[in-house]
Amino acid sequence: MSRIDYSVWDHIEVSDDEDDTHPNIDTPSLFRWRHQARVERMEEFQKKGEELNKGLSDCRRKLADAQKKLKELSLSTTDDAKAELGKIQTEEKKLKKEERDWEKKIDDYNREEKKMPWNVDTLSKDGFSKSIVNVKPEREETEEEKEQKHKTFVEKYEKQIKHFGMLRRWDDSQKYLSDNPHLVCEETANYLVIMCIDLEVEEKHALMEQVAHQTIVMQFILELAKSLKVDPRGCFRQFFAKIKTADQQYQDAFNDELESFKERVRGRAKIRIEKAMKEYEEEERQKRLGPGGVDPVEVYESLPPEMQKCFDEKDIQMLQDVISKMDPTEAKIHMKRCIDSGLWVPNAKTDEGEEKEEEATYEEVKQEQEESKKE
């Protein structure tokens, strides 16, 4: 059996009255001053950590936006897009360096925190305020594995995720995650994002904003876990502790991210609606295509006005007259397109008296015209 390492207890400031003082010194006051000074140092140190986390979070958000813009610009071939692409690439490189700098500062901060002596204040903290779950490094998942993992998770916990998305109070959210810690993960955040977009598309704007709030709650917890390099299930209580203490800087960062997220959701919903409308219009267009796969509306609009009038009035004789006066080559082209689109469907009677559709040609129209003149 291995021996227990007690070295962690070597530098614990447990008591404020652990040493003797001069008889002429007001001992209680001295102890109060010492305690106050230590509390202020702890608060200042904690504030430093929060500023570092916020700096890293802001940097990563800007980096994500830059990478998204890079992806969009890479699909464009315009000169303006190419010029903008170079600027964004430079910005991305700069933000990546800033991200590494922030991560190094946070690593230094965490090392400094571990070296700090324990005292009566830190020892009496609620043990659940910072539950750390060690995370073993795992290999990078493939896109297929991530997709399957997300699908399996949603199938199992969809009802619980939706319930969390509808919660409003901080205490209710914290309690629900305490009862269902498996929800504190990327899969939940991803589902909530999709849920927000769906609600916006359905024009359920107030409900979208509610779920958006819970989405940012989950994303802030995940970001905090990433900065602390712990499992998110072990630090979600820290998030609620910080947000409920009305830390103005932290609250402002949360609100800014929430508003930014809602704008992105509205933009994404607009794109989805426009795409759906285009698909619907294309489906409708396909339905009205003629036997030759040509749109009759497009063909009609391309016809000379005098031919359009023939179709408007459904006057075959007028059409024959118009064709006879046109250049034969041009007339053949127009008639071929009219047949392919279904605007012109000549029929002939079979011996059995049934109608039989035949391929009409410019010559057939001319022939009908000549026969009508003989009559």
Side-chain angles (χ1 to χ4, degrees):
M1 181 175 177
S2 59
R3 295 179 61 189
I4 298 173
D5 181 10
Y6 291 98
S7 61
V8 68
W9 302 91
D10 289 345
H11 303 286
I12 301 179
E13 301 174 4
V14 176
S15 175
D16 287 316
D17 54 1
E18 58 191 356
D19 52 351
D20 297 327
T21 58
H22 193 278
N24 295 334
I25 294 177
D26 181 5
T27 303
S29 297
L30 176 62
F31 293 155
R32 284 197 300 272
W33 295 335
R34 284 179 178 175
H35 178 262
Q36 182 61 33
R38 185 170 64 242
V39 169
E40 288 176 357
R41 285 199 307 271
M42 288 169 58
E43 289 177 348
E44 186 177 348
F45 186 78
Q46 184 179 3
K47 184 178 180 181
K48 177 184 175 182
E50 291 170 357
E51 289 173 352
L52 289 174
N53 285 324
K54 182 179 183 300
L56 178 61
S57 178
D58 291 343
C59 179
R60 283 176 172 165
R61 186 179 70 250
K62 291 177 183 176
L63 179 58
D65 290 342
Q67 290 173 335
K68 180 182 176 183
K69 197 167 184 180
L70 270 178
K71 190 174 181 181
E72 293 172 352
L73 290 172
S74 64
L75 300 175
S76 178
T77 57
T78 64
D79 293 337
D80 291 341
K82 291 178 180 177
E84 185 70 14
L85 186 64
K87 294 179 182 178
I88 300 299
Q89 286 174 335
T90 302
E91 184 181 352
E92 181 198 28
K93 187 176 180 180
K94 179 183 175 184
L95 287 170
K96 282 184 176 179
K97 183 180 181 302
E98 286 183 11
E99 182 184 33
R100 290 193 297 271
D101 291 341
W102 283 114
E103 288 174 345
K104 183 179 183 302
K105 289 177 182 178
I106 289 175
D107 286 341
D108 293 341
Y109 175 87
N110 290 335
R111 280 194 292 271
E112 187 178 350
E113 183 181 29
K114 288 179 181 178
K115 293 177 181 178
M116 290 179 68
W118 294 357
N119 54 60
V120 66
D121 297 297
T122 53
L123 285 173
S124 61
K125 292 285 185 181
D126 180 4
F128 285 106
S129 65
K130 187 177 180 181
S131 305
I132 298 180
V133 181
N134 291 326
V135 182
K136 294 182 179 179
E138 299 177 355
R139 68 174 181 82
E140 190 72 21
E141 292 179 323
T142 65
E143 289 302 318
E144 292 76 12
E145 288 173 334
K146 288 180 181 178
E147 185 177 345
Q148 184 57 47
K149 182 180 178 182
H150 177 78
K151 183 179 178 182
T152 304
F153 185 86
V154 169
E155 287 175 352
K156 189 173 182 180
Y157 301 116
E158 184 174 20
K159 187 176 180 180
Q160 293 180 1
I161 299 172
K162 286 183 176 180
H163 181 87
F164 174 76
M166 300 300 172
L167 296 176
R168 294 179 178 274
R169 297 175 64 249
W170 297 119
D171 289 339
D172 292 340
S173 295
Q174 182 175 354
K175 184 178 185 308
Y176 196 72
L177 292 181
S178 297
D179 295 338
N180 303 277
H182 53 272
L183 294 181
V184 189
C185 61
E186 290 282 354
E187 285 71 33
T188 296
N190 292 339
Y191 184 88
L192 290 173
V193 170
I194 297 169
M195 188 175 171
C196 286
I197 297 172
D198 288 342
L199 290 170
E200 185 66 17
V201 169
E202 295 167 9
E203 298 187 355
K204 297 177 181 178
H205 308 301
L207 201 53
M208 180 280 283
E209 293 191 357
Q210 169 57 35
V211 178
H213 179 275
Q214 296 300 91
T215 306
I216 299 305
V217 167
M218 186 58 64
Q219 290 184 345
F220 257 60
I221 292 171
L222 295 174
E223 193 62 38
L224 179 62
K226 191 183 295 183
S227 66
L228 296 175
K229 296 182 179 178
V230 298
D231 189 299
R233 291 169 295 179
C235 70
F236 69 86
R237 294 178 181 84
Q238 282 179 272
F239 163 77
F240 289 107
K242 294 176 74 173
I243 205 73
K244 287 191 291 185
T245 55
D247 184 319
Q248 193 60 46
Q249 187 179 28
Y250 200 67
Q251 186 69 57
D252 289 345
F254 182 90
N255 291 335
D256 289 346
E257 185 60 35
L258 176 57
E259 291 306 313
S260 176
F261 174 71
K262 287 190 289 190
E263 283 303 310
R264 291 197 295 273
V265 166
R266 294 185 186 106
R268 181 66 65 179
K270 184 179 178 182
I271 292 172
R272 187 190 286 186
I273 292 170
E274 290 173 352
K275 183 180 178 182
M277 287 299 297
K278 287 180 181 178
E279 289 175 351
Y280 173 77
E281 290 170 359
E282 179 60 24
E283 286 177 4
E284 291 299 306
R285 194 183 76 83
Q286 290 292 334
K287 288 178 183 177
R288 65 172 184 256
L289 294 183
V294 182
D295 187 345
V297 176
E298 293 178 3
V299 172
Y300 175 83
E301 292 175 350
S302 70
L303 294 175
E306 56 269 22
M307 285 190 74
Q308 290 181 353
K309 186 177 180 183
C310 298
F311 286 104
D312 291 340
E313 299 185 9
K314 299 179 182 179
D315 192 324
I316 297 176
Q317 183 59 51
M318 185 188 297
L319 178 62
Q320 292 169 348
D321 293 339
V322 170
I323 288 176
S324 66
K325 297 174 184 177
M326 293 177 66
D327 175 74
T329 303
E330 183 183 356
K332 287 180 181 179
I333 292 172
H334 283 308
M335 288 307 302
K336 174 70 167 57
R337 297 189 75 231
C338 286
I339 295 163
D340 290 342
S341 67
L343 280 176
W344 177 265
V345 185
N347 294 293
K349 293 286 185 178
T350 63
D351 294 339
E352 291 79 13
E354 297 176 349
E355 286 191 355
K356 178 182 178 183
E357 185 176 317
E358 296 179 350
E359 183 179 324
T361 62
Y362 163 73
E363 285 76 11
E364 287 175 329
V365 177
K366 288 284 290 181
Q367 185 178 353
E368 288 181 16
Q369 180 193 28
E370 291 170 1
E371 288 176 355
S372 63
K373 284 180 179 180
K374 289 177 183 180
E375 293 174 358

